[in-house]
Amino acid sequence: MSFGGQPPAYQPPPPSGQPVPEGQQPAYGQPPTPVYGQPPAPVYGQGQPPYGQPPAQPYPSAPAYGQPPAPSYGQQARQLAPQAPVSDAYAATASAAPAIGYGQPQQLAPQPSAAAAYAPPAPLSPAPVAGVPALPMPVRKGRSVSVWVFGVLGFVMLALIAYFAMFLGTGASVVGLILAFVPLGIVLFGVHLIDRWEPEPKSLVIFALAWGAIAAIGIALLFDLLLTLAAGRPDDFFSAVIQAPLIEEIGKGLGVFLIYVIGRRAFDGPVDGVVYGALVGAGFAFTENIQYFGVSLVNGGAGELTITFILRGLLSPFAHAMFTALTGFAIGLAARRGATVAGALGAGALGLLGAMALHAFWNGSSMLGDFFTLYLTAQIPLFLGFIFAIVALRRAEARLTQRRLEDYAAAGWFTKEEVVMLATPAGRKAGMQWARGLRGDRRKLMRSFIKDATELAAVRQRAINGHDAYAAADEQSLLARTRATRAHLLAY
């Protein structure tokens, strides 16, 4: 399958430092001239210059912008030797000659002591600042959730709390709540590994979890109540193999589609779809586990609770995340191809059918025959296939990121070596090791460099697809951030 299209042919000019006239946005396809001036070369011995102002006395070996040197990974930055040795005579007596700093004569104190006769000189190589200076951030519109949406979910959550307190009791509900955090933490750690270099906006992550844990559960409970009132309580097989896959996956899939509608500019492709689907599924499993653990404690005591916790919390924590990830994958694939909302809805419906089928098979296999035999022969292979699919998607995403960053390398924003470092797993690992050896352990700066560059590649892909009106503004902000972060990484 093809991830993304080819960028339009263009010959963007190298970064020149000419500001863009206020009120004008550059046409996409021509990487904009940076607003923030020439890349700031650190002025050694005089601190950092104001951002956007060229330094008065650039260091002779400061790299020319557009051709930043590729960092020598694994090599620690060398400390500059002092210009002249310091004499040991400064500690002798108070009557000694005034101590001389590195080129800075000191005034003789009226009554100096041995300790006060020497004032330490200013460092030749000032330590870099703690982080990147405040810079413009990408536009938030289309990447966040309104607080009013969380307010509505909050009212539904109060109703769920009342439900659990009424039917399970406070004690069983609290025990179930505590135990449910274990499988939730396992799933969240897995999602972090998938999405650590291009993390989704926090409000969308929280919304995905909240939708699964509150709204999707509410939809399932409401339908179960209506069905029971209309036709009586169904048998276990119908409930597990037919009702649960249909209703639960519809409720969860609706949440993934809403994320696409609300946060379209943060829904870039299949990997994002898998992440959002897994988060919605993790939230749903969290609340469902509270109920299962509480019922087990009430009906069978600690023994039955232990068995339920092992089966649901340890042996199959990714089940719901895996089901809903299929729906997210389909919507993400449509998003990568620049589909409309209607097109994403149709693709999501196809993914939803796959999620329902997988959910029904998983539940049915746990009810037919010996559970552990079917778990080893059916459920574990499915889970391993899911992991291999995630690895393949991430590699495809890395190739696309590398192609988009190569567009900026051709314009002079990155070197070819930097593109490899920013886009490939091996390059990112080498870059983090190199940053760790720099003074002050600059891995935090390197993470910011990689994340901003990865987001920059996604912005360019959205602009190529033609469905991001804020691509030019985001591009300028991210180019400024990557440039400033590089300057701090290379500062001695």
Side-chain angles (χ1 to χ4, degrees), residues 125-378:
S125 301
V129 297
V132 180
L135 291 172
M137 296 294 293
V139 180
R140 288 178 54 86
K141 187 174 182 179
R143 295 174 54 86
S144 60
V145 181
S146 171
V147 67
W148 297 105
V149 175
F150 289 109
V152 173
L153 290 175
F155 280 109
V156 180
M157 183 179 67
L158 293 177
L160 288 177
I161 292 174
Y163 167 82
F164 284 122
M166 182 182 301
F167 290 97
L168 295 179
T170 304
S173 298
V174 171
V175 172
L177 174 67
I178 295 173
L179 293 178
F181 277 108
V182 175
L184 177 64
I186 295 174
V187 176
L188 292 182
F189 177 73
V191 171
H192 168 73
L193 293 179
I194 296 172
D195 203 44
R196 66 185 182 276
W197 294 118
E198 191 191 358
E200 307 307 319
K202 292 182 179 179
S203 65
L204 291 177
V205 170
I206 296 173
F207 174 77
L209 288 169
W211 181 272
I214 300 172
I217 284 287
I219 292 172
L221 290 176
L222 180 61
F223 183 87
D224 183 66
L225 176 61
L226 294 176
L227 181 63
T228 301
L229 293 176
R233 187 163 189 83
D235 59 70
D236 292 340
F237 183 84
F238 178 86
S239 178
V241 180
I242 299 177
Q243 177 184 334
L246 289 176
I247 305 306
E248 293 176 5
E249 293 308 322
I250 289 176
K252 292 185 292 177
L254 179 60
V256 180
F257 179 71
L258 287 177
I259 293 173
Y260 174 83
V261 174
I262 296 172
R264 177 66 187 88
R265 299 178 60 246
F267 211 126
D268 296 313
V271 173
D272 287 351
V274 169
V275 167
Y276 288 128
L279 289 171
V280 173
F284 186 93
F286 173 74
T287 305
E288 190 179 54
N289 282 334
I290 296 175
Q291 181 178 13
Y292 273 96
F293 296 156
V295 170
S296 297
L297 180 61
V298 172
N299 294 339
E304 185 173 335
L305 173 61
T306 301
I307 295 175
T308 304
F309 176 75
I310 292 174
L311 295 179
R312 294 186 59 89
L314 301 181
L315 295 182
S316 57
F318 289 95
H320 277 288
M322 184 170 59
F323 306 151
T324 316
L326 288 179
T327 305
F329 166 78
I331 296 177
L333 193 60
R336 173 56 49 79
R337 295 172 176 174
T340 62
V341 172
L345 180 61
L350 293 177
L352 182 63
L353 293 177
M356 291 176 178
L358 184 59
H359 193 163
F361 175 79
W362 187 281
N363 286 0
S365 65
S366 66
M367 299 181 65
L368 302 174
D370 180 73
F371 170 79
F372 289 102
T373 301
L374 290 170
Y375 180 80
L376 294 175
T377 59

Side-chain angles (χ1 to χ4, degrees), residues 5 26 73 195 201 296 301 309 359 399 414 449 460:
Y73 304 117
D195 203 44
S296 297
F309 176 75
H359 193 163
R399 290 192 295 269
F414 303 106
F449 194 26
R460 175 160 176 77

Side-chain angles (χ1 to χ4, degrees), residues 21-42:
E22 184 176 357
Q24 297 183 12
Q25 291 292 344
Y28 198 83
Q30 296 287 337
T33 304
V35 177
Y36 303 101
Q38 295 294 331

